[in-house]
Amino acid sequence: MDDLRAHAPETLLPGKSIALVHEWFAVTGGSENVFVAMHEVLPQAKPFVLWRDPAAQRGAGFQESWLAKTPLRHAKPLALPVMPLAWRTLTREHFDVVVSSSHAFAHTVKLGSSEDTRYLSYVHSPARYVWSPDFDGRGSNGLLTLPRKALQAADVRLSRHVHSYAANSMEVQSRLRRFWNRDSRVIHPPVDVDYFAAAPAHERMQQRGYLLGLGRWVGYKNFDLIIRIADAAGIPLVIAGSGPEEANLRREAEKARVPVTFEHRPPRERLRELYWGALALLFPAHEDFGIIPVEAQACGTPVLGVRRGGLLETVVHGETGFLIDSLDPAAYAAALRHVGTLNHDRIRAHAWNYSADVFKRRIASWVADDAS
C-alpha cells in the first residue's frame, strides 16, 4: 500500500529545478485534472504542454511546444509520429526532476541526461492509438497502420531513461508490464468527491426513481445495452452526455417500453442532481479507471457494471454495487432487484478513497521517494 504520509508542497524537492509535462491540455478531462493537481503538489515546477485549448479556463501559464503553432494540433492521430520529436525539442532548459503526465508520448520527454535528471512518469495509458487500436477506434486510422510498429519501438526505446512509473489503475499497470516491461505503483486519479457528496438537502432527499447512463455516446461505452437493460428491468432511464452515436441511441430508445430521457451535456450542477436521483448507475463498459462510477458512489448511488478494468478497483461487489460477468441485459436486470439491500452511507464512504486529497498525498509520497 502507498505511504500516505503528508508532504507539504513547499517541502518537496527543495532547491531542485522541476518540470511538469503533459500532452495536449483540453477544456475538461480526467488527465487535465491530474495535471492540475500535480501542479498543486509541485507549485514551483515549470509546466509544459504540447498545446492548450484556447477555450480552457485553466493553464493560462503553461508553456506550449512548437506543435501548438502547426495544424497538427487539430489532428492528434496525425501528430503522433512527430510527438516524440516535439518532446525532445521542447526547450533548451535542463531540470533536476521531470514529472510527466502521459497518455501518448509525454513519458519520452528528456530535459537532461538520465545521470543528472530524475524522470518520473504518471501514465493514464500507453497510447491507445499505438498499442490498443482495436480498443480505441481512433487508432484504426489507415494512415497509422504502417508506422504503428515503428511507433511502438520508438515508444519503448525513447523511454528507457524513465526512473519511475506510476499507473492510474491496476489495469494500466498490467499494460506497462506487457508493453514496456516496466514496473509501476498505482495511484488512482483524483475525483471531486467533495463536490458530489455535498449536494443540497433537496437533492439528497430525492426519491431514486430511474436508472442513469452517463458518458460519451460512443460504441464501446455500450449505451445501446444500457437502454436494453432498462427495458428488461422495466425502469425509466436517463441518458446524459453527448457523442456521435446519439441518432442510433435515440432510435434504440424508441423501441423501449420504458421512458428514456436524453440530457445533452448537462452542467455540473445538474449532473450531481441526476446522480442523487438515480436508483443505480449503469456502466457496462471496460474502462482503465472510470471517474463516473466514483462520482456516482460519492452520491450514494450504486454502480452496476461489467467485471473488468477499473470497476474491479472502484466498485465493491455486493456493497457499493454489482459487477456482472455478462453483457446480457437480463443479468443486469436481475442484479437491479438487489440494489435496495445496499447501504447508501457505505457507498458514499467508499468514494472518499479516491478524493483529490488522497491523490495529492500519494503523488507527494511517490515524488519524495523516487525523485531524490
Side-chain angles (χ1 to χ4, degrees):
M1 183 168 178
D2 290 320
D3 179 3
L4 298 187
R5 63 184 181 274
H7 292 285
E10 61 271 19
T11 66
L12 278 175
L13 312 182
K16 292 185 179 293
S17 59
I18 308 168
L20 280 175
V21 303
H22 181 67
E23 317 284 356
W24 48 88
F25 194 88
V27 176
T28 59
S31 66
E32 286 81 2
N33 291 338
V34 164
F35 192 59
V36 169
M38 290 169 68
H39 197 205
E40 291 171 357
V41 172
L42 294 164
Q44 74 275 39
K46 188 169 185 177
F48 295 89
V49 295
L50 286 176
W51 60 77
R52 174 180 168 271
D53 190 322
Q57 296 181 347
R58 303 175 297 174
F62 295 171
Q63 183 169 318
E64 296 180 301
S65 75
W66 53 264
L67 268 179
K69 299 181 176 65
T70 74
L72 290 174
R73 69 177 295 156
H74 303 295
K76 298 185 188 81
L78 298 181
L80 275 175
V82 297
M83 283 182 189
L85 176 63
W87 286 126
R88 292 302 176 99
T89 56
L90 184 64
T91 177
R92 292 184 178 181
E93 296 178 82
H94 286 188
F95 295 86
D96 298 319
V97 178
V98 177
V99 183
S100 60
S101 163
S102 180
H103 50 73
F105 290 109
H107 69 124
T108 67
V109 68
K110 198 166 187 182
L111 304 176
S113 71
S114 56
E115 290 78 21
D116 299 327
T117 303
R118 292 290 294 182
Y119 290 92
L120 282 67
S121 184
Y122 183 92
V123 181
H124 306 273
S125 176
R128 285 182 170 180
Y129 306 87
V130 175
W131 293 100
S132 310
D134 294 335
F135 189 78
D136 190 328
R138 296 170 297 182
S140 300
N141 188 317
L143 294 175
L144 281 177
T145 301
L146 291 177
R148 182 171 292 116
K149 290 294 185 183
L151 286 171
Q152 290 176 350
D155 197 24
V156 173
R157 185 180 71 256
L158 296 176
S159 60
R160 289 173 180 159
H161 62 285
V162 177
H163 296 97
S164 178
Y165 278 107
N168 80 344
S169 63
M170 288 187 288
E171 173 84 2
V172 170
Q173 184 184 52
S174 69
R175 287 185 212 159
L176 300 192
R177 290 195 189 104
R178 187 164 71 253
F179 298 150
W180 299 344
N181 194 29
R182 298 296 299 267
D183 292 327
S184 60
R185 72 167 75 183
V186 173
I187 302 176
H188 295 122
V191 180
D192 195 355
V193 175
D194 302 74
Y195 175 80
F196 288 99
H202 71 275
E203 292 183 13
R204 290 185 276 111
M205 299 302 291
Q206 291 181 81
Q207 183 176 356
R208 295 178 179 269
Y210 55 85
L211 301 173
L212 178 63
L214 172 65
R216 182 157 169 75
W217 301 337
V218 293
Y220 85 93
K221 300 280 191 178
N222 291 329
F223 277 92
D224 54 345
L225 172 59
I226 288 173
I227 294 172
R228 292 196 292 273
I229 291 170
D231 194 37
I235 303 172
L237 173 66
V238 175
I239 294 180
S242 64
E245 288 292 309
E246 179 173 358
N248 292 335
L249 293 174
R250 288 188 180 276
R251 284 193 292 270
E252 187 74 25
E254 289 175 359
K255 304 174 189 175
R257 293 162 296 178
V258 297
V260 179
T261 304
F262 287 81
E263 297 228 5
H264 193 264
R265 295 182 180 175
R268 203 161 180 245
E269 295 80 6
R270 174 59 177 157
L271 178 56
R272 183 173 64 181
E273 185 179 13
L274 287 172
Y275 279 137
W276 276 91
L279 178 67
L281 173 77
L282 298 180
F283 202 82
H286 185 171
E287 292 281 14
D288 299 338
F289 174 72
I291 298 290
I292 288 171
V294 179
E295 291 178 347
Q297 290 173 89
C299 301
T301 303
V303 177
L304 271 70
V306 66
R307 195 190 298 272
R308 296 178 194 162
L311 291 184
L312 291 169
E313 300 171 61
T314 61
V315 176
V316 182
H317 180 70
E319 294 186 28
T320 72
F322 295 100
L323 300 178
I324 316 296
D325 290 313
S326 166
L327 295 179
D328 180 359
Y332 290 81
L336 280 167
R337 293 197 286 269
H338 301 287
V339 294
T341 66
L342 304 180
N343 184 291
H344 295 297
D345 291 336
R346 166 72 180 95
I347 296 171
R348 284 194 293 272
H350 176 65
W352 287 101
N353 292 312
Y354 309 96
S355 72
D357 285 343
V358 170
F359 171 80
K360 290 177 184 178
R361 290 200 300 272
R362 288 178 171 162
I363 286 290
S365 176
W366 174 50
V367 170
D369 290 343
D370 292 0
S372 57

